[in-house]
Amino acid sequence: FNPRHPYTIALSKATPKAHPATASEAISALDGEVPSAARMPTGCRFHPRCPVAVDHCGKEDPPAVAVGPNHEAACWLLTK
Ligand code: SF4
């Protein structure tokens, strides 16, 4: 498992650990509210909650780019 997209990485980190060493490790989640399907954010749908978002993220959808064999991700940080 080699996630490249920030949302996938965040989801992976939010998965409860079987044997957490600390309370924060046991309880970690994405900050912010899940957007309403009726009012999706502009640009990258994840930008209001993305910890590494840049200005451009809320303006335009990122294109899917190849990040490995049979592996694509849509993130502006992966297009450069
Ligand atoms: S495009 Fe921007 S907001 Fe979306 S996942 Fe990448 S860095 Fe985060």
Side-chain angles (χ1 to χ4, degrees), residues 6-68:
Y7 184 64
T8 310
I9 293 168
L11 286 178
S12 172
K13 288 181 178 175
T15 303
K17 306 287 186 287
H19 303 287
T22 64
S24 65
E25 194 176 291
I27 305 169
S28 68
L30 288 166
D31 289 332
E33 297 286 323
V34 174
S36 163
R39 296 186 57 216
M40 292 302 284
T42 59
C44 176
R45 303 305 188 256
F46 184 48
H47 88 269
R49 300 190 301 149
C50 181
V52 293
V54 296
D55 285 345
H56 192 67
C57 295
K59 297 176 182 159
E60 189 177 358
D61 278 331
V65 296
V67 293

Short mmCIF file of all heavy atoms in Angstrom, two decimals, residues 6-68:
data_model
loop_
_atom_site.label_atom_id
_atom_site.label_comp_id
_atom_site.label_asym_id
_atom_site.label_seq_id
_atom_site.Cartn_x
_atom_site.Cartn_y
_atom_site.Cartn_z
N PRO A 6 -3.13 13.02 -0.95
CA PRO A 6 -3.26 13.45 0.45
C PRO A 6 -4.50 12.93 1.17
O PRO A 6 -4.45 12.62 2.36
CB PRO A 6 -3.28 14.97 0.34
CG PRO A 6 -2.46 15.26 -0.87
CD PRO A 6 -2.83 14.15 -1.84
N TYR A 7 -5.62 12.80 0.45
CA TYR A 7 -6.83 12.29 1.10
C TYR A 7 -6.66 10.82 1.49
O TYR A 7 -7.03 10.42 2.60
CB TYR A 7 -8.03 12.45 0.16
CG TYR A 7 -9.35 12.05 0.77
CD1 TYR A 7 -9.87 12.75 1.86
CD2 TYR A 7 -10.08 10.98 0.27
CE1 TYR A 7 -11.07 12.40 2.43
CE2 TYR A 7 -11.29 10.61 0.83
CZ TYR A 7 -11.78 11.32 1.91
OH TYR A 7 -12.97 10.96 2.48
N THR A 8 -6.08 10.04 0.61
CA THR A 8 -5.85 8.63 0.91
C THR A 8 -4.87 8.49 2.08
O THR A 8 -5.06 7.64 2.97
CB THR A 8 -5.31 7.89 -0.33
OG1 THR A 8 -6.15 8.19 -1.44
CG2 THR A 8 -5.27 6.39 -0.11
N ILE A 9 -3.84 9.32 2.09
CA ILE A 9 -2.88 9.29 3.20
C ILE A 9 -3.58 9.65 4.50
O ILE A 9 -3.38 8.99 5.53
CB ILE A 9 -1.71 10.25 2.91
CG1 ILE A 9 -0.89 9.73 1.72
CG2 ILE A 9 -0.83 10.42 4.14
CD1 ILE A 9 0.11 10.72 1.16
N ALA A 10 -4.44 10.68 4.47
CA ALA A 10 -5.16 11.10 5.67
C ALA A 10 -6.10 10.00 6.15
O ALA A 10 -6.20 9.73 7.35
CB ALA A 10 -5.94 12.39 5.40
N LEU A 11 -6.81 9.35 5.22
CA LEU A 11 -7.69 8.25 5.62
C LEU A 11 -6.89 7.11 6.24
O LEU A 11 -7.31 6.51 7.23
CB LEU A 11 -8.46 7.73 4.40
CG LEU A 11 -9.59 8.60 3.87
CD1 LEU A 11 -10.21 7.94 2.65
CD2 LEU A 11 -10.64 8.84 4.94
N SER A 12 -5.75 6.84 5.67
CA SER A 12 -4.90 5.78 6.21
C SER A 12 -4.48 6.10 7.64
O SER A 12 -4.51 5.23 8.52
CB SER A 12 -3.68 5.62 5.31
OG SER A 12 -2.76 4.75 5.89
N LYS A 13 -4.14 7.37 7.89
CA LYS A 13 -3.72 7.77 9.24
C LYS A 13 -4.88 7.76 10.21
O LYS A 13 -4.69 7.65 11.43
CB LYS A 13 -3.06 9.15 9.20
CG LYS A 13 -1.70 9.13 8.55
CD LYS A 13 -1.08 10.51 8.55
CE LYS A 13 0.31 10.48 7.96
NZ LYS A 13 0.89 11.83 7.83
N ALA A 14 -6.12 7.95 9.70
CA ALA A 14 -7.30 8.00 10.56
C ALA A 14 -7.81 6.61 10.93
O ALA A 14 -8.68 6.48 11.77
CB ALA A 14 -8.41 8.79 9.87
N THR A 15 -7.23 5.59 10.32
CA THR A 15 -7.65 4.23 10.64
C THR A 15 -7.18 3.88 12.05
O THR A 15 -6.00 4.06 12.36
CB THR A 15 -7.04 3.23 9.63
OG1 THR A 15 -7.44 3.61 8.33
CG2 THR A 15 -7.48 1.82 9.92
N PRO A 16 -8.08 3.46 12.92
CA PRO A 16 -7.67 3.12 14.29
C PRO A 16 -6.57 2.07 14.33
O PRO A 16 -6.58 1.12 13.55
CB PRO A 16 -8.96 2.58 14.92
CG PRO A 16 -10.06 3.09 14.07
CD PRO A 16 -9.50 3.23 12.68
N LYS A 17 -5.62 2.28 15.24
CA LYS A 17 -4.52 1.33 15.39
C LYS A 17 -4.95 0.20 16.34
O LYS A 17 -5.64 0.44 17.33
CB LYS A 17 -3.29 2.03 15.98
CG LYS A 17 -2.84 3.27 15.22
CD LYS A 17 -2.18 2.91 13.91
CE LYS A 17 -1.59 4.11 13.20
NZ LYS A 17 -2.54 5.01 12.59
N ALA A 18 -4.53 -1.00 16.07
CA ALA A 18 -4.88 -2.13 16.92
C ALA A 18 -4.23 -2.00 18.30
O ALA A 18 -4.82 -2.35 19.32
CB ALA A 18 -4.46 -3.43 16.26
N HIS A 19 -3.00 -1.46 18.33
CA HIS A 19 -2.28 -1.34 19.60
C HIS A 19 -1.66 0.06 19.67
O HIS A 19 -0.44 0.21 19.51
CB HIS A 19 -1.20 -2.41 19.70
CG HIS A 19 -1.74 -3.80 19.56
ND1 HIS A 19 -2.48 -4.41 20.54
CD2 HIS A 19 -1.70 -4.67 18.53
CE1 HIS A 19 -2.86 -5.61 20.14
NE2 HIS A 19 -2.40 -5.78 18.90
N PRO A 20 -2.47 1.09 19.90
CA PRO A 20 -1.94 2.47 19.92
C PRO A 20 -1.00 2.70 21.09
O PRO A 20 -1.20 2.19 22.19
CB PRO A 20 -3.20 3.31 20.05
CG PRO A 20 -4.20 2.42 20.69
CD PRO A 20 -3.90 1.04 20.19
N ALA A 21 0.06 3.48 20.83
CA ALA A 21 1.03 3.81 21.87
C ALA A 21 0.57 5.02 22.67
O ALA A 21 0.92 5.18 23.83
CB ALA A 21 2.39 4.07 21.24
N THR A 22 -0.22 5.90 22.04
CA THR A 22 -0.68 7.11 22.72
C THR A 22 -2.16 7.32 22.43
O THR A 22 -2.72 6.72 21.50
CB THR A 22 0.08 8.35 22.22
OG1 THR A 22 -0.23 8.52 20.83
CG2 THR A 22 1.58 8.22 22.40
N ALA A 23 -2.79 8.19 23.24
CA ALA A 23 -4.21 8.48 23.02
C ALA A 23 -4.42 9.15 21.67
O ALA A 23 -5.37 8.83 20.96
CB ALA A 23 -4.73 9.38 24.12
N SER A 24 -3.52 10.06 21.28
CA SER A 24 -3.70 10.73 19.99
C SER A 24 -3.52 9.76 18.83
O SER A 24 -4.11 9.93 17.78
CB SER A 24 -2.75 11.92 19.85
OG SER A 24 -1.42 11.47 19.82
N GLU A 25 -2.73 8.75 19.03
CA GLU A 25 -2.58 7.74 18.00
C GLU A 25 -3.84 6.88 17.92
O GLU A 25 -4.22 6.40 16.87
CB GLU A 25 -1.36 6.86 18.31
CG GLU A 25 -0.93 6.00 17.15
CD GLU A 25 0.34 5.23 17.47
OE1 GLU A 25 1.39 5.87 17.59
OE2 GLU A 25 0.26 3.99 17.60
N ALA A 26 -4.50 6.69 19.08
CA ALA A 26 -5.73 5.91 19.10
C ALA A 26 -6.89 6.67 18.49
O ALA A 26 -7.77 6.10 17.88
CB ALA A 26 -6.07 5.51 20.54
N ILE A 27 -6.90 7.98 18.69
CA ILE A 27 -8.00 8.80 18.19
C ILE A 27 -7.43 9.85 17.25
O ILE A 27 -6.96 10.89 17.69
CB ILE A 27 -8.73 9.51 19.36
CG1 ILE A 27 -9.17 8.47 20.39
CG2 ILE A 27 -9.92 10.29 18.82
CD1 ILE A 27 -9.64 9.08 21.68
N SER A 28 -7.42 9.56 16.00
CA SER A 28 -7.00 10.56 15.02
C SER A 28 -8.02 10.54 13.90
O SER A 28 -8.55 9.50 13.55
CB SER A 28 -5.60 10.27 14.49
OG SER A 28 -5.61 9.11 13.73
N ALA A 29 -8.32 11.69 13.40
CA ALA A 29 -9.32 11.78 12.34
C ALA A 29 -9.01 13.01 11.52
O ALA A 29 -8.21 13.87 11.90
CB ALA A 29 -10.70 11.88 12.94
N LEU A 30 -9.63 13.08 10.38
CA LEU A 30 -9.50 14.27 9.55
C LEU A 30 -10.22 15.42 10.21
O LEU A 30 -11.33 15.25 10.72
CB LEU A 30 -10.13 13.99 8.18
CG LEU A 30 -9.36 13.06 7.27
CD1 LEU A 30 -10.23 12.61 6.12
CD2 LEU A 30 -8.14 13.78 6.75
N ASP A 31 -9.64 16.59 10.20
CA ASP A 31 -10.29 17.78 10.72
C ASP A 31 -11.32 18.28 9.71
O ASP A 31 -11.20 18.03 8.52
CB ASP A 31 -9.26 18.89 10.98
CG ASP A 31 -8.39 18.57 12.18
OD1 ASP A 31 -8.86 17.85 13.08
OD2 ASP A 31 -7.24 19.05 12.19
N GLY A 32 -12.28 19.03 10.23
CA GLY A 32 -13.25 19.67 9.35
C GLY A 32 -14.46 18.81 9.07
O GLY A 32 -14.55 17.66 9.49
N GLU A 33 -15.40 19.41 8.39
CA GLU A 33 -16.66 18.76 8.08
C GLU A 33 -16.63 18.15 6.68
O GLU A 33 -16.05 18.73 5.76
CB GLU A 33 -17.79 19.80 8.10
CG GLU A 33 -18.01 20.44 9.46
CD GLU A 33 -18.69 19.48 10.44
OE1 GLU A 33 -19.56 18.72 10.00
OE2 GLU A 33 -18.31 19.50 11.62
N VAL A 34 -17.28 17.02 6.54
CA VAL A 34 -17.46 16.44 5.21
C VAL A 34 -18.42 17.36 4.46
O VAL A 34 -19.47 17.72 4.99
CB VAL A 34 -18.04 15.02 5.32
CG1 VAL A 34 -18.36 14.45 3.95
CG2 VAL A 34 -17.07 14.12 6.07
N PRO A 35 -18.08 17.77 3.24
CA PRO A 35 -18.96 18.70 2.53
C PRO A 35 -20.27 18.06 2.11
O PRO A 35 -20.35 16.85 1.92
CB PRO A 35 -18.13 19.10 1.30
CG PRO A 35 -17.17 17.99 1.10
CD PRO A 35 -16.89 17.42 2.46
N SER A 36 -21.29 18.89 2.00
CA SER A 36 -22.59 18.44 1.51
C SER A 36 -22.47 18.10 0.04
O SER A 36 -21.85 18.83 -0.74
CB SER A 36 -23.61 19.57 1.70
OG SER A 36 -24.75 19.32 0.90
N ALA A 37 -23.10 16.99 -0.35
CA ALA A 37 -23.11 16.62 -1.77
C ALA A 37 -23.85 17.66 -2.60
O ALA A 37 -23.62 17.78 -3.80
CB ALA A 37 -23.75 15.25 -1.94
N ALA A 38 -24.74 18.42 -1.95
CA ALA A 38 -25.50 19.46 -2.66
C ALA A 38 -24.68 20.73 -2.85
O ALA A 38 -25.03 21.58 -3.67
CB ALA A 38 -26.79 19.77 -1.92
N ARG A 39 -23.60 20.87 -2.08
CA ARG A 39 -22.76 22.09 -2.17
C ARG A 39 -21.30 21.66 -2.11
O ARG A 39 -20.57 22.00 -1.18
CB ARG A 39 -23.09 23.05 -1.03
CG ARG A 39 -24.50 23.60 -1.10
CD ARG A 39 -24.75 24.67 -0.06
NE ARG A 39 -23.78 25.76 -0.19
CZ ARG A 39 -23.27 26.44 0.83
NH1 ARG A 39 -23.62 26.15 2.06
NH2 ARG A 39 -22.41 27.41 0.63
N MET A 40 -20.87 20.94 -3.14
CA MET A 40 -19.48 20.48 -3.17
C MET A 40 -18.55 21.68 -3.35
O MET A 40 -18.86 22.62 -4.09
CB MET A 40 -19.28 19.49 -4.31
CG MET A 40 -20.02 18.17 -4.08
SD MET A 40 -19.52 17.33 -2.56
CE MET A 40 -17.94 16.69 -3.05
N PRO A 41 -17.40 21.65 -2.72
CA PRO A 41 -16.42 22.73 -2.88
C PRO A 41 -15.94 22.82 -4.34
O PRO A 41 -15.91 21.81 -5.05
CB PRO A 41 -15.27 22.32 -1.97
CG PRO A 41 -15.82 21.30 -1.05
CD PRO A 41 -16.94 20.63 -1.77
N THR A 42 -15.55 23.99 -4.74
CA THR A 42 -14.96 24.15 -6.07
C THR A 42 -13.54 23.59 -6.05
O THR A 42 -12.96 23.37 -5.00
CB THR A 42 -14.90 25.64 -6.46
OG1 THR A 42 -14.12 26.32 -5.47
CG2 THR A 42 -16.30 26.24 -6.55
N GLY A 43 -13.00 23.39 -7.23
CA GLY A 43 -11.63 22.88 -7.34
C GLY A 43 -11.54 21.46 -6.79
O GLY A 43 -12.46 20.66 -6.96
N CYS A 44 -10.45 21.16 -6.14
CA CYS A 44 -10.30 19.85 -5.52
C CYS A 44 -11.33 19.74 -4.40
O CYS A 44 -11.39 20.59 -3.51
CB CYS A 44 -8.88 19.68 -4.96
SG CYS A 44 -8.68 18.12 -4.06
N ARG A 45 -12.15 18.70 -4.43
CA ARG A 45 -13.23 18.55 -3.45
C ARG A 45 -12.71 18.41 -2.03
O ARG A 45 -13.41 18.62 -1.05
CB ARG A 45 -14.09 17.32 -3.78
CG ARG A 45 -14.70 17.31 -5.17
CD ARG A 45 -15.52 18.57 -5.43
NE ARG A 45 -16.24 18.47 -6.67
CZ ARG A 45 -15.91 19.10 -7.80
NH1 ARG A 45 -14.83 19.84 -7.83
NH2 ARG A 45 -16.64 18.98 -8.88
N PHE A 46 -11.46 18.07 -1.87
CA PHE A 46 -10.86 17.85 -0.56
C PHE A 46 -10.22 19.12 0.00
O PHE A 46 -9.84 19.15 1.17
CB PHE A 46 -9.83 16.72 -0.68
CG PHE A 46 -9.17 16.29 0.60
CD1 PHE A 46 -9.91 16.04 1.74
CD2 PHE A 46 -7.80 16.13 0.65
CE1 PHE A 46 -9.31 15.64 2.91
CE2 PHE A 46 -7.18 15.73 1.82
CZ PHE A 46 -7.94 15.48 2.95
N HIS A 47 -10.14 20.20 -0.77
CA HIS A 47 -9.30 21.33 -0.34
C HIS A 47 -9.69 21.97 1.00
O HIS A 47 -8.81 22.41 1.73
CB HIS A 47 -9.16 22.38 -1.46
CG HIS A 47 -10.20 23.42 -1.50
ND1 HIS A 47 -11.36 23.28 -2.24
CD2 HIS A 47 -10.28 24.61 -0.87
CE1 HIS A 47 -12.11 24.35 -2.09
NE2 HIS A 47 -11.47 25.17 -1.25
N PRO A 48 -10.98 22.03 1.39
CA PRO A 48 -11.26 22.65 2.70
C PRO A 48 -10.68 21.87 3.88
O PRO A 48 -10.48 22.42 4.95
CB PRO A 48 -12.80 22.68 2.76
CG PRO A 48 -13.24 22.63 1.33
CD PRO A 48 -12.22 21.74 0.66
N ARG A 49 -10.40 20.59 3.70
CA ARG A 49 -9.90 19.77 4.81
C ARG A 49 -8.48 19.27 4.57
O ARG A 49 -7.93 18.55 5.40
CB ARG A 49 -10.81 18.56 5.03
CG ARG A 49 -12.23 18.96 5.38
CD ARG A 49 -13.06 17.78 5.84
NE ARG A 49 -13.14 16.75 4.83
CZ ARG A 49 -13.26 15.45 5.09
NH1 ARG A 49 -13.31 15.03 6.32
NH2 ARG A 49 -13.35 14.59 4.13
N CYS A 50 -7.91 19.62 3.44
CA CYS A 50 -6.59 19.08 3.10
C CYS A 50 -5.49 19.81 3.89
O CYS A 50 -5.39 21.04 3.81
CB CYS A 50 -6.33 19.23 1.60
SG CYS A 50 -4.72 18.55 1.11
N PRO A 51 -4.65 19.08 4.61
CA PRO A 51 -3.60 19.73 5.40
C PRO A 51 -2.47 20.30 4.56
O PRO A 51 -1.65 21.06 5.09
CB PRO A 51 -3.11 18.60 6.31
CG PRO A 51 -3.45 17.35 5.59
CD PRO A 51 -4.69 17.63 4.80
N VAL A 52 -2.40 19.98 3.28
CA VAL A 52 -1.31 20.48 2.44
C VAL A 52 -1.84 21.28 1.24
O VAL A 52 -1.13 21.49 0.27
CB VAL A 52 -0.39 19.33 1.97
CG1 VAL A 52 0.36 18.73 3.15
CG2 VAL A 52 -1.17 18.25 1.23
N ALA A 53 -3.09 21.76 1.32
CA ALA A 53 -3.67 22.51 0.21
C ALA A 53 -2.90 23.81 -0.05
O ALA A 53 -2.35 24.42 0.86
CB ALA A 53 -5.13 22.83 0.52
N VAL A 54 -2.87 24.19 -1.31
CA VAL A 54 -2.27 25.45 -1.73
C VAL A 54 -3.38 26.31 -2.36
O VAL A 54 -4.49 25.82 -2.59
CB VAL A 54 -1.11 25.22 -2.72
CG1 VAL A 54 0.03 24.47 -2.03
CG2 VAL A 54 -1.56 24.46 -3.95
N ASP A 55 -3.10 27.57 -2.64
CA ASP A 55 -4.13 28.48 -3.15
C ASP A 55 -4.87 27.93 -4.35
O ASP A 55 -6.08 28.05 -4.45
CB ASP A 55 -3.50 29.83 -3.52
CG ASP A 55 -3.16 30.66 -2.30
OD1 ASP A 55 -3.65 30.33 -1.20
OD2 ASP A 55 -2.39 31.63 -2.44
N HIS A 56 -4.17 27.34 -5.26
CA HIS A 56 -4.78 26.89 -6.52
C HIS A 56 -5.79 25.74 -6.30
O HIS A 56 -6.67 25.53 -7.13
CB HIS A 56 -3.68 26.43 -7.49
CG HIS A 56 -4.17 26.21 -8.87
ND1 HIS A 56 -4.62 27.23 -9.68
CD2 HIS A 56 -4.32 25.08 -9.60
CE1 HIS A 56 -5.01 26.74 -10.83
NE2 HIS A 56 -4.84 25.43 -10.82
N CYS A 57 -5.69 25.03 -5.21
CA CYS A 57 -6.53 23.84 -4.98
C CYS A 57 -8.02 24.14 -5.01
O CYS A 57 -8.80 23.32 -5.46
CB CYS A 57 -6.16 23.19 -3.66
SG CYS A 57 -4.48 22.53 -3.62
N GLY A 58 -8.43 25.30 -4.54
CA GLY A 58 -9.85 25.63 -4.51
C GLY A 58 -10.36 26.24 -5.80
O GLY A 58 -11.54 26.55 -5.91
N LYS A 59 -9.49 26.39 -6.78
CA LYS A 59 -9.88 27.07 -8.01
C LYS A 59 -10.12 26.14 -9.18
O LYS A 59 -10.93 26.44 -10.06
CB LYS A 59 -8.80 28.09 -8.39
CG LYS A 59 -8.65 29.17 -7.35
CD LYS A 59 -7.52 30.11 -7.68
CE LYS A 59 -7.38 31.15 -6.57
NZ LYS A 59 -6.07 31.76 -6.53
N GLU A 60 -9.43 25.03 -9.24
CA GLU A 60 -9.51 24.16 -10.41
C GLU A 60 -9.29 22.70 -9.98
O GLU A 60 -8.44 22.42 -9.13
CB GLU A 60 -8.43 24.57 -11.42
CG GLU A 60 -8.54 23.90 -12.75
CD GLU A 60 -7.48 24.42 -13.73
OE1 GLU A 60 -6.69 25.32 -13.36
OE2 GLU A 60 -7.43 23.90 -14.85
N ASP A 61 -10.06 21.80 -10.60
CA ASP A 61 -9.88 20.37 -10.34
C ASP A 61 -8.48 19.93 -10.78
O ASP A 61 -8.06 20.24 -11.90
CB ASP A 61 -10.88 19.55 -11.15
CG ASP A 61 -12.23 19.47 -10.50
OD1 ASP A 61 -12.30 19.52 -9.26
OD2 ASP A 61 -13.22 19.34 -11.24
N PRO A 62 -7.79 19.19 -9.96
CA PRO A 62 -6.49 18.66 -10.40
C PRO A 62 -6.70 17.51 -11.38
O PRO A 62 -7.65 16.74 -11.25
CB PRO A 62 -5.85 18.17 -9.10
CG PRO A 62 -6.99 17.88 -8.20
CD PRO A 62 -8.09 18.83 -8.56
N PRO A 63 -5.83 17.39 -12.37
CA PRO A 63 -5.93 16.26 -13.30
C PRO A 63 -5.34 15.00 -12.68
O PRO A 63 -4.49 15.07 -11.79
CB PRO A 63 -5.06 16.72 -14.48
CG PRO A 63 -4.03 17.60 -13.84
CD PRO A 63 -4.73 18.29 -12.70
N ALA A 64 -5.83 13.85 -13.14
CA ALA A 64 -5.23 12.59 -12.71
C ALA A 64 -3.89 12.42 -13.42
O ALA A 64 -3.79 12.64 -14.62
CB ALA A 64 -6.15 11.42 -13.03
N VAL A 65 -2.87 12.11 -12.67
CA VAL A 65 -1.55 11.89 -13.25
C VAL A 65 -1.02 10.54 -12.81
O VAL A 65 -1.34 10.05 -11.72
CB VAL A 65 -0.54 13.00 -12.83
CG1 VAL A 65 -0.98 14.35 -13.37
CG2 VAL A 65 -0.38 13.06 -11.33
N ALA A 66 -0.20 9.95 -13.65
CA ALA A 66 0.41 8.67 -13.30
C ALA A 66 1.45 8.89 -12.20
O ALA A 66 2.29 9.78 -12.30
CB ALA A 66 1.07 8.04 -14.53
N VAL A 67 1.35 8.08 -11.15
CA VAL A 67 2.32 8.16 -10.06
C VAL A 67 3.04 6.82 -9.86
O VAL A 67 3.81 6.67 -8.92
CB VAL A 67 1.67 8.63 -8.74
CG1 VAL A 67 1.19 10.07 -8.87
CG2 VAL A 67 0.53 7.71 -8.34
N GLY A 68 2.72 5.88 -10.74
CA GLY A 68 3.36 4.58 -10.69
C GLY A 68 2.67 3.66 -11.67
O GLY A 68 1.70 4.06 -12.31
#
